[in-house]
Structure formats: C-alpha cells, structure tokens
Amino acid sequence: HWLFFLPYPCICLETPSPHLDLIVMLRRLAARVRGYEKFMAGMDLSGNKYFEKVKADGSITREIETPNGKYDPSSIPVEWHSWMAQNREDPPTIEELERANARRKLIKDRADAVDMEERRKASRLKALRASGVDVVTPRFDLGSAIKQSREMDDAVTQEKNS
C-alpha cells in the first residue's frame, strides 16, 4: 500500500519490501530531480513527520516536524530516533511501530503484575507480623549458593564418570 504526501514526495511502505534499498535510492533521486530541498520519509503514530534533506554534496540530514510545533524528545519512538541518528538506513514502517508499542505494553503489564504481587506479599507479611506471627523471610546467601552449585557440578561429574 503506497501513500503519497504532498507537497513533499513520500512513499511510505506499510509492509517491508525486499527492494527497500532501491526504493530509498529512487526517492532520493526523485527529490533531487524535482528540485525538492527535502522530502517526507514517513510519520509515526503520534503524528510527527520525518524528513530527509539531500544536500548538493550528496550528504543527507534528517529532521522532524511535530504536530504542535514543540519538540519533545520523549515523544519520538526509538525506531525513528535510530533513523534520525542515521543508525538505520530505512525508515520504520507503521507495522514495526505498532509491534514495538505492543511489546512495550506487554513488558509494562508484566512489570506491573510483578510489582502488584510484591506489594501483596509485603502487606501479607506485615499483617502476619502485626498479628504476632513470627515470620522469617528467606535471605540469599552467596556462600551457600556457591557451595550448592559446586555440589551439583560434582554430582554431574560423578554421573558422567560412572
């Protein structure tokens, strides 16, 4: 699916193409032939627009236009930030941005679940201690862990030798 944004020539691919390098080269060539100073490379899910400028010497600079005109670095997705810093050649696709957002949401949801479980355990321990129950919380002992690891290694070695 191709989208064209005017007045800047832009081709935004919704799915990765095996010919993406050729498409990027053709976009740059078209921008130079048409005399455009810059052309739109794409847009993120927040409405930020990303542009490439091709200078006369062939060097490329990249810039951003925000919908409200105020630049906030925290609003730029990592994928676009990487493109802006020229750490990646091709601009990210909408699907790539959506997958990254879904992955970030999943990680946040899992972290929130772990945090909630830890708070639940802490409040339960506090209630038990308040009721007079002697609660002993296990502590990690590095020396015991090393000793146990060595014993397990020795057991495995003995099994292999017998």
Side-chain angles (χ1 to χ4, degrees), residues 21-123:
D21 291 337
L22 177 63
I23 292 169
V24 170
M25 282 183 7
L26 289 174
R27 282 191 322 198
R28 289 180 181 151
L29 178 63
R32 289 179 109 183
V33 168
R34 292 181 185 159
Y36 290 112
E37 184 177 311
K38 66 180 180 181
F39 67 96
M40 188 170 157
M43 186 185 312
D44 65 21
L45 300 173
S46 301
N48 297 322
K49 295 178 183 176
Y50 300 88
F51 296 89
E52 274 190 339
K53 280 186 174 181
V54 181
K55 295 182 181 178
D57 64 357
S59 63
I60 296 169
T61 58
R62 295 174 175 172
E63 25 180 86
I64 182 173
E65 286 182 12
T66 58
N68 60 4
K70 295 181 182 175
Y71 176 71
D72 178 18
S74 66
S75 72
I76 299 175
V78 173
E79 297 80 11
W80 276 110
H81 183 5
S82 179
W83 179 82
M84 293 282 294
Q86 298 188 8
N87 292 331
R88 64 182 284 167
E89 181 68 24
D90 305 322
T93 62
I94 295 296
E95 286 84 10
E96 181 182 355
L97 296 172
E98 288 172 344
R99 281 193 309 271
N101 281 349
R103 187 175 58 248
R104 286 184 199 103
K105 184 183 180 322
L106 178 64
I107 290 169
K108 184 185 179 317
D109 291 347
R110 287 179 178 170
D112 289 345
V114 168
D115 188 44
M116 186 181 300
E117 179 64 21
E118 289 297 317
R119 279 189 265 129
R120 187 189 63 76
K121 284 180 183 178
S123 68

